[in-house]
Amino acid sequence: MRNLSCLVFSAVVGALPAIAVADNNPVDEKWWPSEFGANDQAGATNWITPQKRLEAVKLVKKGEVATLGMPYHARTPLFPGRLYSLTIPGGGVPTHDLAWSGDSYRQTFMDELVTAQIGQVGTQFDSLAHPMIQIKGKDAKGWKDGNYFYNGVRLEDVGGPYGMKKLGVENVGSFFTRAIVIDLVKLKGGNLPIGYPISMKDYRDALKMAGIQDARQGDIVLFRTGWNDLWRGNMEKTQAQAIADNAAFNSGGPGISPEVCDHLASLKVAMVGADNWGIEPYDFTGNGQWPTKFEDVKEWAYCHMNLTVRRGIYLFENLDLKDLGERGPAEVLFSWAPLKLVGATGSPGNPIATW
Amino acid sequence: MRNLSCLVFSAVVGALPAIAVADNNPVDEKWWPSEFGANDQAGATNWITPQKRLEAVKLVKKGEVATLGMPYHARTPLFPGRLYSLTIPGGGVPTHDLAWSGDSYRQTFMDELVTAQIGQVGTQFDSLAHPMIQIKGKDAKGWKDGNYFYNGVRLEDVGGPYGMKKLGVENVGSFFTRAIVIDLVKLKGGNLPIGYPISMKDYRDALKMAGIQDARQGDIVLFRTGWNDLWRGNMEKTQAQAIADNAAFNSGGPGISPEVCDHLASLKVAMVGADNWGIEPYDFTGNGQWPTKFEDVKEWAYCHMNLTVRRGIYLFENLDLKDLGERGPAEVLFSWAPLKLVGATGSPGNPIATW
Amino acid sequence: MRNLSCLVFSAVVGALPAIAVADNNPVDEKWWPSEFGANDQAGATNWITPQKRLEAVKLVKKGEVATLGMPYHARTPLFPGRLYSLTIPGGGVPTHDLAWSGDSYRQTFMDELVTAQIGQVGTQFDSLAHPMIQIKGKDAKGWKDGNYFYNGVRLEDVGGPYGMKKLGVENVGSFFTRAIVIDLVKLKGGNLPIGYPISMKDYRDALKMAGIQDARQGDIVLFRTGWNDLWRGNMEKTQAQAIADNAAFNSGGPGISPEVCDHLASLKVAMVGADNWGIEPYDFTGNGQWPTKFEDVKEWAYCHMNLTVRRGIYLFENLDLKDLGERGPAEVLFSWAPLKLVGATGSPGNPIATW
Amino acid sequence: MRNLSCLVFSAVVGALPAIAVADNNPVDEKWWPSEFGANDQAGATNWITPQKRLEAVKLVKKGEVATLGMPYHARTPLFPGRLYSLTIPGGGVPTHDLAWSGDSYRQTFMDELVTAQIGQVGTQFDSLAHPMIQIKGKDAKGWKDGNYFYNGVRLEDVGGPYGMKKLGVENVGSFFTRAIVIDLVKLKGGNLPIGYPISMKDYRDALKMAGIQDARQGDIVLFRTGWNDLWRGNMEKTQAQAIADNAAFNSGGPGISPEVCDHLASLKVAMVGADNWGIEPYDFTGNGQWPTKFEDVKEWAYCHMNLTVRRGIYLFENLDLKDLGERGPAEVLFSWAPLKLVGATGSPGNPIATW
C-alpha cells in the first residue's frame, strides 16, 4: 500500500504531503470500498459539512460575485467526436400557437434544441461515472478484466444505453464551500505555456503570494493558467481565427502535475478545477518545452485516475477563472450543484464565486 | 379591476411602488425602454446588488442546504413537442481509446449525448428570449406586427436558426440573493388541487404563517404548491403509472393568480419560482373547481407577459421545493446562475438554497 | 448442419415445412464463416446477380409504382427508448442569410434537424450490425462470452461509440430484384389479429391464391398483415387516439412463424419484409388467441437470429404494403438501397415497387 | 411569360440556348399557380408517367447497378451551421435486455442515434420546402413581403417548429425514370476546376460524345464534374488531410451555368443532379479562373430559384457519380424515392442506377 504508507509518512512529518508517482499502479492497490462506504455514490461532496458551509459564507465580505462558466456556442472547442449544436425551432414562426388574449395580442414562445455531449463539452464537471481505469490480465491479483469507476463499480455491470445505472451525476449533491485560487497567471506574470506542469513549488509559491493557507478537507482548489483565453471571444473573431485558436487550445495546455494531484488527494479536497480542457498538462504539438506527442503519452489523465476514480474527488474543467482572478481574492465562497441528469457522466455548469 | 385597486392602495400607503397599466393591455402601454436602459439584456438581475448579497449570506445560520432541481430523465413530463433524450455512446466499449499506461491498465472514459429543448424541459429557467407578446393590427398605436420580447426586442429582428441574437440566457448574470418560500402546502395542509389560483390572501397568510416580511427589490419568491409530487419518483414506478402521472401533471395545476404576479411586479423581485410546470394556474381537464379548458383559456401566461416580457423579471419552473419546504426555513440564501448557452431561451438548473 | 439436412428432407417429401425449432440452438452449430466468405459484410445481397435484375425488370408491364415507406413523424410508434424528432431551425427567419440578388429579391433556405435512432424507427431496414446472439458460458464448445453478429463478428470486437467498425449498413449494396407479396389480408379477408403466427399453410395458400411460384434465391418476400393500419393516418387523429393506436400497435402483432422463416432461409432469399414492427408474432397483452406476455416470451426474434445473424438475410420492418397490396400484382420489381450511414445498424427507407 | 416565349424562340432557332438571365427577375413574373394546379405539392414528379417508366426499364440490358449515394460519416463536409452525428448508444452493453432464449443464448440488439440536418447533409435531395425566393418592397406589383416556395406557398404561412405544413418531402412521390449522364469528366479528360460554369456547349458536346438524345419531359439529368472526389475516402485519410479537403470542397466547385438550367427548365425534366454540393458554380477562394468571392456573388443559387422554386423541378446534390460514370452508359434507369419525413425540407438518399 504504497500510497497509504506515503500518506501516513506525510502525516508524521506534518508539513510535506507525500508523493509517490513513480510506481503508482492502480492494479497493485485495491482502492475500494471508499472511505464513505461500499455503496457510496457521492464521493468527495461527503466532506462538505454544515460547518464547512458556515465557514465559507464568512468569506463573503463585499457581496461581489464572479460566474465561472464559459459560454457554450458553436465555436466552443470540442474534444474529437463530441458536438455542441443549438438550434431555435421555429421555421419562420413562434413555437406555440396559443389563443389570442385580446383582439390584437397574445402570448407566444421560443425554445432552443440542444444536442451535445452535454456533460463533456465546454465548462464541464466530471461525475464519478466519467473516468475509468481499465484493467486486463490481472486475474492473479483478483481483478476481473473491465473498466473500473470509483468505488470499484464496473462499466460492464452498470453501463446502459440510456444512462449509467450507478454513479450518475444526480448522486453528487452540491458544492457550497470554500474555494482557493491558485493563480499561476499572477504568479508567473502571464498565461502558462503549452505543456507546463504545475509543480509543488508553484503551488506553494501561489499560496504564499496570496497569503492564504493550504486547502483543507472539503475545500475546492481552482488553478488559473490562462489557457482558455485561447478560445475566449471566439464569437467575435473571424471563423478562420476561431478554428485556429480552437486547434491551438486542443493541442495541449499547461496543467497540474502528478505530484500536485497526489498532494490534493492527501488533503481530501472536494474538487479540483482548472481553466484548461483536461486538468493535466499536455503538448501534442511536441514543439514546446514539455513535449508529450499524442502517441508518446506515458500515462494519460493521472489526476482523473488518482483523484476521481480512486478517491471520488471531483474535477471541473474549462472553468472561466479570468474575472475571478482579476477582481477577486484567493479565497471565495463557491456555490454550485450539477444538473441532475440521471445516469449522466457529467454536467455543464456556471458556478458562482462570492467574496 | 382587482389588480388596480390593490396596486392603487399600495400607492396610497406609499411604501410600495405602483403599477398601473390602464386595463393591463400590453398594446395600450409602451413598456420599454426598461428601467435598466434601452439596451439592457439582463433584466431583473440588475436589482441584485452587493448589499443584497451581503444581507443574503446572513440567512445562513446552520450550514444546511437543499438543491432545488428535479432530476432529468426519460420520464420527465414534457410540454407537447419537446423531448429529452440521454444516451451513452459506446456500442459496447468506452468512448476513448487511449494508450495503455502500464502493461495492464489505462485510462478510459464514458460520455453522454443529450438532445433536448434543454432550457425548456423539467426544472427550467426562462430567459428573456423565451416569452413574447405577439401584437398585430395596431399600427395606429405605433406597433409593428410582430413578436415582442423584453425591452421591445422583436423576434423578427433578433431571431435566428442557431440562437437568438439578443436576450440569450448568457446575458442573465447570477442569482445570489434572498429567497422567500410561500409554502402553500404547509398553509393548506396538503398539495394544492388542479387549477387552484393562489390569491393575495393566500400569499399574505403564508407570509404571516412563516413570520417573515414580504419580498423586497432583488429578492426571489418561491411558491410551493406540491404539484410536481405527481412526477416525483417516476423512475421507480411502472411505466403505465408514470405515463398516467405525467398526463395528470400536464393537464394543469395550481398556480399564481394575476393579482399576485402584479403584486410581485410592484415589488421588483428578481425572480419568481414554482414547483409547477408553468407558473400560472390551469385546469385543462375542466373537471376541477377552477376549470380552464384549453380552448377556453382567456389569457395565456399572464405572469410570463407581465413579469418577464414587460419587466424583465425571471421565472423558474418545475423547481423541487419539497425538501426545502420540509427541512428549511422560509428565508434562505439562493445561489444559482444559468448556463451560458449563447442565444438560448432558457437554462436547466439545480439551484442551491442555504440556511 | 442440422438445419440444412432437415430442409433437404422437406424438399424431398414436399409437403412438410422444414422446421427444426425444437433444438435450433445457435450454440450447437458454428454458423460461420458464411457461404460468402469469412470477411463478407454484405450478406444476402450477394445473391442478387445481374441475371436476377434482368428477370426482375421483366415484371414491369404497366409502368405502375407504389412506394413502400410509411411516413416519419411525431406520431410514429416507437420502440421504448427510441425517439424521432424533427424540428425546423429558424427562430423566426430563414436559415441562411445570403446577399440580395436584386434590390427586391434573394435566395433563402430552410433546413430540418432530425434526431432519431434513424435506422430503427418507423419503416426500418436492419443491417447486419443490428441483431446479435449473445452467448455465455459455452467455453467448452469454443464460444467466447459475447454478442455475435453475422459471420461471427463480435460486438466486443467491433463496437464503437461513433459507429460499428464492421457490418455497418454502408456495406449492404442494393436491392434491385424480384419481390413477391404474401398477402395475408387478401387471403384471410381482413387484417390479421394480434399474435397470429403465419404458418407454412398460410404461406402456400397465399402463393396459390396469387398464382405465383415460391421465392427463389435472391428474391424478396413481403408479408402483408395489415397490422400497421393501426398507426396509418395518425397525424389526422386526435392526440389521444393516436397514442392509443400506437400503444395497440406496440402491444404485439401478427408475424412470421419460425417454420416460415426456416423455409425462407432454405430458399436463400435476399430479404424478408413485413408491415409489422418486428417480423415475428407477439401478443404482449396476453388477451388474444396466441398470447405471449412479455415476461413469458420463450424465444425472442427467431427470424432475426436465424435469418440475419446466422445467414445474412435482411429484414425490413414497418413497410407500407397497403397500396401495393390493393393495386399491384403479387410479383414486382423491388428497387432500393439503404443510406450509406457509415457504421449504422440500419437505415430508414422508402422502397419502390414497380409492375 | 418572358421565359417561355424566349424558350420557344430558342426551340425555333435551334442553336441558341434559351437564356434570359439578365433580367430574369422573379418579381416581374407571377410564377404560380404551377402547371400542375394551384394546390400541387409534388412538382416535377408529375411528369413521370407509366409510359416513362416502361421506356426506362428498357434501358436495363445488362442487369448492372451503381448506387449513387456518398457515405454519411463524421468527415462528410458540411455547410456551415449543419451537423452530422452518429453515435451507438450502449454504454458498454447492448441496447435491449431481453430474456434468455436458452440457458446460454439470447437475442440482443444495437441501435444508432443520428442528429443531423438529415435532408441537407452529404448526398441530399431538396424538397420543394427547401429553397425560397424572398421578396420585399414590391407591394406595388402585388407581392406581400415574405419568403416564397414553389407554387407561391409562403414560409410565413406554412412554416412551423416541427415541420413545414405544406410541401414537405413526403409529397414528392418517386423517381423511376430515365436518367442521362452529362459526363464532364470524360468530356474534359479530368475533374472540372473550381468555379467552372458548365455551358450549353459543354452540355451539347457531352450529349454528342455519349451518342444520346437530349433529355425529355420527366427525365433526370445527372452532371458528373468529379468535384466530390475531394472528400472521397475521407475516413481513410489523416484527420488534417480530411479537414483540408473538406475545406477545399466547401470553397466552391464547378457547377451548372444559368443558361443550362434555363435549358433544362424548358425541357421539363423531373430532376437535376450533380456531384457537387450546390448545383451552381462558385469559387469563394477567388483564386481560380472564374472567381466569385462570397461577398461578391451576384445571384445566389440561380438553378434553385429557377428550377425548384419557379417550376417544381427537383435538385439532388452531392451524388456519387464516379462508379456510374466509369462503368455505366450515359442512359440508365434511375430508381429512388425520398424518405417520407413529414414536413422536411429534403431527404438523404442512395439512388440506384441500373443498365
Side-chain angles (χ1 to χ4, degrees), chain C residues 53 63 72 107 112 305 345, chain D residues 53 63 107 112 305 340 345:
Chain C
R53 296 188 195 110
Y72 299 86
Q107 177 70 46
E112 72 287 297
M305 278 202 280
T345 74
Chain D
R53 296 188 196 110
Q107 177 69 47
E112 72 287 297
M305 278 203 279
K340 292 179 183 165
T345 74

Side-chain angles (χ1 to χ4, degrees), chain B residues 48-231:
Chain B
I48 304 175
T49 60
Q51 183 58 32
K52 287 292 302 177
R53 296 188 195 109
L54 290 173
E55 289 167 19
V57 294
K58 289 184 194 144
L59 300 170
V60 182
K61 293 162 185 164
K62 296 185 174 174
E64 297 288 339
V65 291
T67 55
L68 308 185
M70 295 287 282
Y72 299 85
H73 51 53
R75 291 177 173 179
T76 299
L78 298 168
F79 197 89
R82 293 179 186 155
L83 72 144
Y84 175 81
S85 158
L86 182 150
T87 54
I88 304 287
V93 297
T95 312
H96 306 58
D97 187 19
L98 300 172
W100 290 86
S101 294
D103 63 337
S104 54
Y105 75 98
R106 65 170 175 168
Q107 178 70 47
T108 55
F109 294 102
M110 293 308 282
D111 297 346
E112 72 287 297
L113 185 66
V114 168
T115 297
Q117 279 90 349
I118 196 70
Q120 303 295 337
V121 295
T123 298
Q124 61 195 267
F125 168 84
D126 291 351
S127 86
L128 302 178
H130 175 59
M132 299 165 282
I133 301 176
Q134 185 179 8
I135 293 177
K136 71 165 181 190
K138 288 290 171 183
D139 304 51
K141 295 204 173 178
W143 296 92
K144 293 170 68 176
D145 281 7
N147 293 275
Y148 288 78
F149 290 113
Y150 167 74
N151 227 345
V153 171
R154 292 193 341 142
L155 171 63
E156 288 72 15
D157 298 322
V158 303
Y162 308 117
M164 297 296 172
K165 293 180 200 106
K166 281 187 122 176
L167 301 181
V169 76
E170 74 275 16
N171 298 293
V172 170
S174 64
F175 298 87
F176 187 98
T177 190
R178 174 189 183 237
I180 63 169
V181 184
I182 304 298
D183 195 328
L184 287 316
V185 176
K186 270 187 196 149
L187 183 71
K188 302 289 186 176
N191 292 348
L192 298 186
I194 192 167
Y196 183 88
I198 299 164
S199 67
M200 274 307 297
K201 179 173 188 312
D202 293 331
Y203 182 84
R204 294 190 199 285
D205 287 351
L207 287 175
K208 192 172 173 186
M209 176 186 70
I212 60 170
Q213 290 188 301
D214 199 353
R216 293 182 294 271
Q217 184 169 316
D219 276 353
I220 289 170
V221 184
L222 304 174
F223 290 82
R224 182 183 175 210
T225 71
W227 190 248
N228 60 9
D229 280 353
L230 274 168
W231 69 276

Side-chain angles (χ1 to χ4, degrees), chain A residues 104-105, chain B residues 25-31 133 135 138 141 143:
Chain A
S104 54
Y105 76 97
Chain B
N25 190 316
V27 300
D28 293 329
E29 180 201 15
K30 184 96 176 279
W31 27 269
I133 301 176
I135 293 177
K138 288 290 171 183
K141 295 204 173 178
W143 296 92

Side-chain angles (χ1 to χ4, degrees), chain B residues 304-317:
Chain B
H304 285 72
M305 279 202 281
N306 288 287
L307 294 182
T308 305
V309 184
R310 294 174 78 169
R311 289 178 190 83
I313 296 171
Y314 293 96
L315 301 179
F316 213 137
E317 298 157 343

